[in-house]
Amino acid sequence: VVEIKNIHKHYDGQQIETHALQGVSLTINQGEFVAITGPSGCGKSTLLSIMGLMDTASEGDYKISNIDTHGLKVDQRTQIRNQHIGYVFQSFNLIDHLTVFDNVALPLEHRKTSKEEIKKRVEKVLSQVDMLHRKSYRPNQLSGGQQQRIAIARALVGSPDLILVDEPTGNLDSKNGDQVMALLEKLNSDGATIVMVTHDSRYSRCASRQIQLLDGKIVAQINSEKSLQGV
Amino acid sequence: VVEIKNIHKHYDGQQIETHALQGVSLTINQGEFVAITGPSGCGKSTLLSIMGLMDTASEGDYKISNIDTHGLKVDQRTQIRNQHIGYVFQSFNLIDHLTVFDNVALPLEHRKTSKEEIKKRVEKVLSQVDMLHRKSYRPNQLSGGQQQRIAIARALVGSPDLILVDEPTGNLDSKNGDQVMALLEKLNSDGATIVMVTHDSRYSRCASRQIQLLDGKIVAQINSEKSLQGV
Ligand SMILES: Nc1ncnc2c1ncn2[C@@H]1O[C@H](COP(=O)(O)OP(=O)(O)OP(=O)(O)O)[C@@H](O)[C@H]1O
Ligand SMILES: Nc1ncnc2c1ncn2[C@@H]1O[C@H](COP(=O)(O)OP(=O)(O)OP(=O)(O)O)[C@@H](O)[C@H]1O
Ligand SMILES: [Mg+2]
Ligand SMILES: [Mg+2]
């Protein structure tokens, strides 16, 4: 479902030039659960944002569900994102003047969903991350880990088939972290494809495959025992 | 050096009322390395921000270095912070329109420090977190873990005697995380008092004492083997 060929990403600005991705190629099949790991600054978030159509590569090809992303216009990319992709940002990107409820409901806005259906879906996903009791709060009235869980809820509310999560447990204690991972594993067993960037080796083990990045390149791919068991 | 008696913190806003700290009392002596742990939302950041004079308690007493914080005016609190406290925020709070160098130099601005001395201190602390090569970047040109390391560098540049760190390794791989912890341990052995909020049990173990919070109260205090060995 995700086919990346020889992707390069350069950031060019005044006084700076960073070659964040230096020729990355990988394929992710429908239903896989892939972890992306590597040291701080090695290109994980950059890769994920290209996968999620948040950003474009400087060179190379990216096909998603057989659609070549090269030719896509801005509104076409937005449509694919809205319909198929759930994205959890490393820095959450919640909207401060909206309540938790409205933040999580945002991905459903462009769809023709009834008010009752929106309420049902938002409340379901909020209770899955233990945040239903805070639906009327603003993001700046929440703790760091609570904001992280709202960002996760928002990514999942539209039942996306491709879920991209950038460091979903960095601000969570192990009980909440385990709860988030169990939720992702359940969605994966229900058919969603998951790509998770993480620094936590306890959780990268939950994936069936681990892709290790270093200095903008893939240096190793490891199949976990989970995938070797033919699970 | 830190004496907290029966601290309560209420947040009151439209539609919401949170009793974030419900009677917390603790003492931290000069030179200690204390970890604060507990589930997401239990009050850790709130407690740390009161300790760091970023926020005030709703009830209760807080003395820092024998100074009663009750009577302090805003500029007096600011002066104590600038002279004695280094603070790492959970969400970094870097300034987007300043370079990395100027962000880290900020705590030195109010002091009568020469330009050469500022350059020397900023570059020293930047190399201690492996970020010297990025001193001309803006924060939004950095990865999440790189931003975290800049926030840490800024907290340490003024050689504070009280270092308060809120989740310093949440966005870091283990090598960078270990490097940050080694730096904190070195500063502690040089005499700094450190209070660290963390979800990472590998790192809470580096502290000589662990304070466990739950629902705004202290539920346990554990002395690590480190302190039992009289280290
Ligand atoms: N400005 C605010 N207004 C209202 N409630 C708040 C505000 N800031 C924090 N809270 C609430 O106070 C409680 C404690 O928050 P705090 O940030 O101290 O938690 P924490 O232990 O640091 O959590 P985490 O591990 O997720 O960072 C939470 O329930 C939070 O929702
Ligand atoms: N807008 C930008 N302009 C310039 N350079 C950038 C920009 N965004 C990221 N970079 C650089 O690209 C590199 C990769 O960044 P990326 O955010 O992908 O790292 P990461 O692997 O996610 O790191 P972390 O684990 O710290 O989150 C870094 O060296 C970073 O400084
Ligand atoms: Mg990142
Ligand atoms: Mg916190």
Side-chain angles (χ1 to χ4, degrees):
Chain A
V1 69
V2 163
E3 271 188 61
I4 289 183
K5 288 208 174 67
N6 203 24
I7 292 280
H8 290 259
K9 178 68 182 178
H10 306 275
Y11 290 108
D12 296 317
Q14 292 176 316
Q15 297 191 339
I16 67 143
E17 215 241 88
T18 321
H19 196 168
L21 295 176
Q22 310 187 12
V24 171
S25 301
L26 61 92
T27 302
I28 298 177
N29 298 309
Q30 183 121 13
E32 279 201 82
F33 189 154
V34 176
I36 298 181
T37 61
S40 172
C42 71
K44 307 178 294 296
S45 297
T46 301
L47 178 60
L48 207 73
S49 68
I50 289 170
M51 271 190 214
L53 302 178
M54 299 288 170
D55 197 0
T56 48
S58 315
E59 306 172 32
D61 304 311
Y62 173 33
K63 270 197 200 158
I64 174 170
S65 299
N66 260 324
I67 304 166
D68 190 346
T69 61
H70 252 292
L72 296 180
K73 301 196 181 65
V74 172
D75 51 336
Q76 287 172 309
R77 299 161 69 82
T78 305
Q79 188 177 27
I80 295 178
R81 281 208 312 270
N82 287 343
Q83 292 177 354
H84 298 286
I85 301 176
Y87 202 103
V88 182
F89 295 88
Q90 189 167 4
S91 52
F92 317 150
N93 293 3
L94 298 177
I95 301 184
D96 273 339
H97 64 261
L98 296 181
T99 59
V100 161
F101 186 98
D102 289 339
N103 262 284
V104 175
L106 223 46
L108 301 178
E109 272 197 357
H110 65 279
R111 303 185 188 185
K112 311 236 175 316
T113 321
S114 72
K115 260 196 154 204
E116 295 75 28
E117 178 68 10
I118 290 180
K119 185 170 194 290
K120 178 157 155 285
R121 284 174 173 253
V122 169
E123 297 195 341
K124 172 177 185 198
V125 81
L126 278 178
S127 44
Q128 282 174 327
V129 295
D130 254 353
M131 288 299 297
L132 187 53
H133 61 303
R134 291 297 168 86
K135 62 180 180 181
S136 309
Y137 276 55
R138 294 283 149 76
N140 56 18
Q141 295 170 328
L142 300 178
S143 77
Q146 292 171 334
Q147 291 174 6
Q148 186 153 40
R149 287 181 274 160
I150 299 310
I152 291 165
R154 180 182 62 182
L156 305 182
V157 73
S159 304
D161 24 65
L162 178 60
I163 302 173
L164 306 177
V165 270
D166 200 342
E167 311 271 4
T169 62
N171 286 286
L172 298 178
D173 53 285
S174 40
K175 178 159 174 287
N176 275 296
D178 291 348
Q179 192 167 340
V180 164
M181 288 308 298
L183 176 54
L184 293 176
E185 286 177 307
K186 163 150 196 329
L187 293 168
N188 180 238
S189 67
D190 291 347
T193 308
I194 303 191
V195 185
M196 176 178 74
V197 171
T198 184
H199 283 303
D200 198 321
S201 49
R202 287 173 300 179
Y203 296 142
S204 56
R205 285 203 298 262
C206 301
S208 54
R209 176 158 54 119
Q210 201 186 119
I211 298 177
Q212 292 178 358
L213 286 181
L214 183 65
D215 296 331
K217 294 194 182 78
I218 294 179
V219 294
Q221 295 202 36
I222 306 172
N223 289 333
S224 79
E225 303 115 33
K226 231 172 124 198
S227 71
L228 295 174
Q229 286 164 7
V231 160
Chain B
V1 69
V2 163
E3 271 188 62
I4 290 185
K5 288 208 175 67
N6 203 25
I7 292 280
H8 290 260
K9 179 67 182 177
H10 307 275
Y11 290 109
D12 297 316
Q14 292 174 317
Q15 296 188 340
I16 67 145
E17 214 240 89
T18 321
H19 196 168
L21 295 176
Q22 309 187 10
V24 171
S25 301
L26 62 91
T27 302
I28 298 177
N29 298 309
Q30 183 122 12
E32 278 201 82
F33 190 154
V34 176
I36 299 180
T37 61
S40 172
C42 72
K44 307 178 295 295
S45 298
T46 300
L47 178 58
L48 208 73
S49 67
I50 289 169
M51 272 192 214
L53 303 178
M54 299 288 169
D55 198 0
T56 48
S58 315
E59 305 173 32
D61 304 312
Y62 173 34
K63 269 197 198 158
I64 173 169
S65 298
N66 261 326
I67 304 166
D68 189 348
T69 61
H70 254 289
L72 296 179
K73 301 195 181 64
V74 173
D75 51 336
Q76 288 171 308
R77 301 162 67 83
T78 305
Q79 188 177 27
I80 295 178
R81 282 208 311 271
N82 286 342
Q83 290 178 354
H84 297 286
I85 301 175
Y87 202 104
V88 182
F89 294 87
Q90 191 167 1
S91 53
F92 318 151
N93 292 4
L94 299 175
I95 301 184
D96 273 338
H97 63 262
L98 296 182
T99 59
V100 161
F101 186 98
D102 289 338
N103 262 284
V104 176
L106 223 47
L108 301 177
E109 271 196 358
H110 65 278
R111 305 185 187 186
K112 311 239 177 316
T113 321
S114 71
K115 259 196 156 204
E116 295 76 26
E117 179 66 10
I118 290 180
K119 184 170 196 291
K120 179 156 155 286
R121 283 172 173 255
V122 168
E123 296 195 343
K124 172 177 187 201
V125 80
L126 278 179
S127 44
Q128 281 173 328
V129 294
D130 254 352
M131 288 298 299
L132 186 53
H133 61 303
R134 291 296 167 86
K135 62 181 180 181
S136 310
Y137 277 55
R138 294 284 148 76
N140 56 19
Q141 294 169 328
L142 299 178
S143 77
Q146 291 171 334
Q147 291 174 4
Q148 187 154 40
R149 286 181 274 159
I150 299 309
I152 291 165
R154 181 183 60 183
L156 305 182
V157 73
S159 306
D161 23 63
L162 178 61
I163 303 173
L164 307 177
V165 269
D166 199 343
E167 311 272 3
T169 62
N171 287 286
L172 298 179
D173 52 286
S174 40
K175 177 159 175 286
N176 275 297
D178 291 349
Q179 192 166 340
V180 164
M181 288 309 298
L183 177 54
L184 292 177
E185 285 177 306
K186 163 149 197 329
L187 293 168
N188 179 238
S189 66
D190 290 348
T193 308
I194 303 191
V195 185
M196 177 179 74
V197 171
T198 184
H199 282 304
D200 198 321
S201 51
R202 287 174 299 179
Y203 296 141
S204 57
R205 283 202 299 262
C206 300
S208 54
R209 178 159 53 120
Q210 202 186 118
I211 298 177
Q212 290 178 359
L213 286 181
L214 184 65
D215 296 331
K217 295 195 182 74
I218 294 180
V219 295
Q221 295 203 36
I222 305 172
N223 287 332
S224 80
E225 302 113 32
K226 227 172 129 201
S227 71
L228 295 174
Q229 287 162 6
V231 160

